Amino acid sequence: MRKTNALALAALGTALTMGLAACGGSAGGGGNTSSGNNATGGAASTAKHNDAYTKVVNPSEAKGGTLKFALSDEPDSMDPGNTYYAWNWNFSRLYARPLMTYTAQPGDAGLKLVPDLAEGPGEVSADGKSWTYKLKKGIKYDDGTEVKATDVKYAIARSNFTDELTDGPKYFAQYLDAGGYKGPYKDKDLNDFKGVETPDDHTVVFKLKAPFSEFDFLVANPQSAPVPQAKDTGVDYEKTVASTGPYKFESHEVGKQLNLVKNENWDQATDTTRKQLPDRIEVQFKQNAEDIDNRLMAGQIQVDLAGTGLQSAGRAKVVQDAAKKDSTDNPFTPFNRYAMLSTAVKPFDNIDCRKAVQYATDKVATQAPWGGPLGGEIGTTAMTPTTVGYKQFDLYPNGADHKGDVAKAKEHLAACGQPNGFETNIAVRGDRTKEVQVAEALQASLDRVGIKATIKKYPSGDWSAQYAGKPDFVHKNNLGIMIAGWGADWPSGFGFLSQIVDGRFIKASGNYNMMELNDKAVNELLDKGIQTTDAAARNEIWAEVDKKVMESAAFMSFVYEKTLIFRPSNLTNVYVHPAYGMYDYTWLGVKQ
């Protein structure tokens, strides 16, 4: 285990030990200052490589200007209740406030929960099956109307209990005691939704089927941000979201551009974690990834919204230029980059065929597109070393050099009745250059043992809704292997594992358990762990879940990810938020 991750584990362990009693605090960065950086066109400064990993770089309270983001594809949705991209959980906080959130500080402190829409952490009942939150009074939407408890209840109902909103997680549907509730689009009487109670305008009570020891972390996800029922337009709600954050929608051409402007009804006094510095924020979607890097280095835009770092050509420029390197940060992220092998697509319904892929893969080659060691460490487990509960093990050692064990792979091909190999397809997000290169490296590895893999490219915007996350599509198109990545929904083994390994979360669309693994032992361990109040015992269970998942051979880890992200000299208040593994988008400003 590397030292950096040992520190991260200690920080995460502290956060989880505090757990649901996590105390308040205020926005950080006070004494963590550094001036400027050396991006193109910037003045000389003392900021160095990785400074934003531990402190705030280019601190400034100057207001004004336009902060510009770009993304290589389009989002799943800008609706806080219908999104599952990590960058969007970060970005949506500019206009959507959940019940709880994370402290606005780099380093260890950023993993501590603080109240956001709520006055404080949830009050849990003696039996652990009821969580109560009191809302801060006076919080308003951008139209000036006050947020009510029923708006939080409605937000949970629409995001988790409707068939139309498919892209976000369904934790609340899984764990709330809501009977057979079918969602507000089929049953418009919100009183019929018994999973959440609102005894008054400022009290929200969640009723659970069983104890859930990490519930404060769950309500820190954007699905607890309030939605007025009268303003909900279903899948079109993303066009104009009712804002409770420092910014509101000015215009939104879905899939093309989003413009935000200051929300005059946002009150800084109620919000300890955000700033309101730029006059406007502009986001361009479907931009060429390499062009995004060039524009970043020229200071024409300030942020690559995906937060996944520079492409190969951009990394090469950084390596060759000390000044550019001082304008970058190389943080460990919460992400594992991996492949999932579908247990429902032949011949991967046979575990030995899956093991053949595990042994055949040259992991040095699949690490290379991420930047080699600069892009992260070669992975052997589902959880990453920065996840609480992680234990190191390797069930499929593929040589001391990690370049594959061809003989072992052929042994398992023979065992699964495919001694000469077979044909399959690899699904990948076509706009993600690194993922395409990973698929190409995997294709070459498998070819050595007779497995002929064809790469199929799909758009990332509909990746989970229409393609790799839609089992019917996967089966019909023989998508045996899906290249993917995952970061923890919150910093624990459960927050990382549950949505991608729990068989009860396999959905007809928006599915992230692309293995279609439905192992009763895994499911039961997840239930046991989340009901365990002792943190140490809980963490042991997460490690056990990880091992059982890897025993299925359906999950193949490539890289415990690091990214190389670039901060132009005209970007202010820059720091890496540990909960997201990228810059804190709610703090950024821009020099005029």
Side-chain angles (χ1 to χ4, degrees), residues 39-122:
T40 301
S45 78
T46 60
K48 299 297 183 183
H49 172 67
N50 261 346
D51 270 1
Y53 200 28
T54 58
K55 57 187 177 183
V56 178
V57 169
N58 220 6
S60 174
E61 294 299 317
K63 298 180 182 292
T66 299
L67 180 63
K68 297 182 178 181
F69 291 80
L71 185 70
S72 62
D73 199 76
E74 61 181 306
D76 44 8
S77 174
M78 298 310 295
D79 179 344
N82 195 33
T83 180
Y84 216 166
Y85 277 119
W87 65 262
N88 213 1
W89 280 29
N90 183 5
F91 184 83
S92 68
R93 296 179 304 132
L94 287 162
Y95 52 86
R97 296 178 62 179
L99 289 171
M100 300 287 290
T101 191
Y102 294 92
T103 305
Q105 284 187 253
D108 300 357
L111 294 170
K112 296 176 182 177
L113 286 173
V114 292
D116 194 353
L117 199 68
E119 290 182 343

Side-chain angles (χ1 to χ4, degrees), residues 375-566:
E377 290 188 356
I378 288 173
T380 60
T381 59
M383 289 196 297
T384 69
T386 55
T387 307
V388 172
Y390 165 83
K391 287 187 177 180
Q392 194 280 330
F393 61 88
D394 186 358
L395 298 185
Y396 311 103
N398 59 348
D401 57 3
H402 291 293
K403 292 186 177 181
D405 187 333
V406 172
K408 196 75 172 174
K410 289 184 176 180
E411 176 185 322
H412 283 283
L413 281 174
C416 79
Q418 303 282 345
N420 299 317
F422 53 84
E423 294 184 2
T424 192
N425 292 319
I426 302 174
V428 65
R429 287 174 282 200
D431 64 291
R432 302 287 180 90
T433 303
K434 298 172 190 174
E435 293 185 3
V436 173
Q437 292 170 346
V438 167
E440 292 168 347
L442 178 58
Q443 181 185 50
S445 290
L446 299 181
D447 187 64
R448 298 182 300 177
V449 298
I451 300 174
K452 305 299 180 183
T454 301
I455 297 172
K456 302 289 187 178
K457 300 178 183 179
Y458 302 105
S460 62
D462 289 326
W463 173 248
S464 67
Q466 299 297 329
Y467 305 110
K470 190 170 185 177
D472 279 352
F473 185 89
V474 169
H475 305 161
K476 289 176 184 177
N477 290 275
N478 193 37
L479 302 183
I481 303 173
M482 272 85 41
I483 307 298
W486 194 258
D489 289 348
W490 61 84
S492 82
F494 187 90
F496 187 92
L497 291 166
S498 64
Q499 293 290 304
I500 59 174
V501 307
D502 191 328
R504 297 162 296 184
F505 283 143
I506 297 171
K507 299 183 291 185
S509 179
N511 175 46
Y512 292 93
N513 181 347
M514 296 171 186
M515 303 173 287
E516 295 186 63
L517 180 69
N518 191 5
D519 185 323
K520 182 180 178 183
V522 168
N523 300 345
E524 289 178 348
L525 279 170
L526 288 167
D527 288 346
K528 178 182 177 182
I530 201 59
Q531 294 177 39
T532 300
T533 56
D534 180 78
R538 194 162 66 238
N539 294 338
E540 288 294 322
I541 294 171
W542 305 147
E544 190 177 352
V545 173
D546 193 350
K547 194 163 187 179
K548 284 195 172 294
V549 169
M550 295 307 297
E551 286 172 351
S552 76
F555 189 106
M556 183 167 65
S557 175
F558 293 133
V559 170
Y560 304 137
E561 185 190 62
K562 295 175 71 177
T563 56
L564 188 66
I565 44 182
F566 190 89

Side-chain angles (χ1 to χ4, degrees), residues 240-262:
T240 308
V241 176
S243 174
T244 48
Y247 290 87
K248 64 181 180 180
F249 283 43
E250 180 189 60
S251 61
H252 184 196
E253 294 180 79
V254 175
K256 295 181 180 180
Q257 182 161 318
L258 169 66
N259 295 325
L260 304 178
V261 294
K262 287 184 175 181

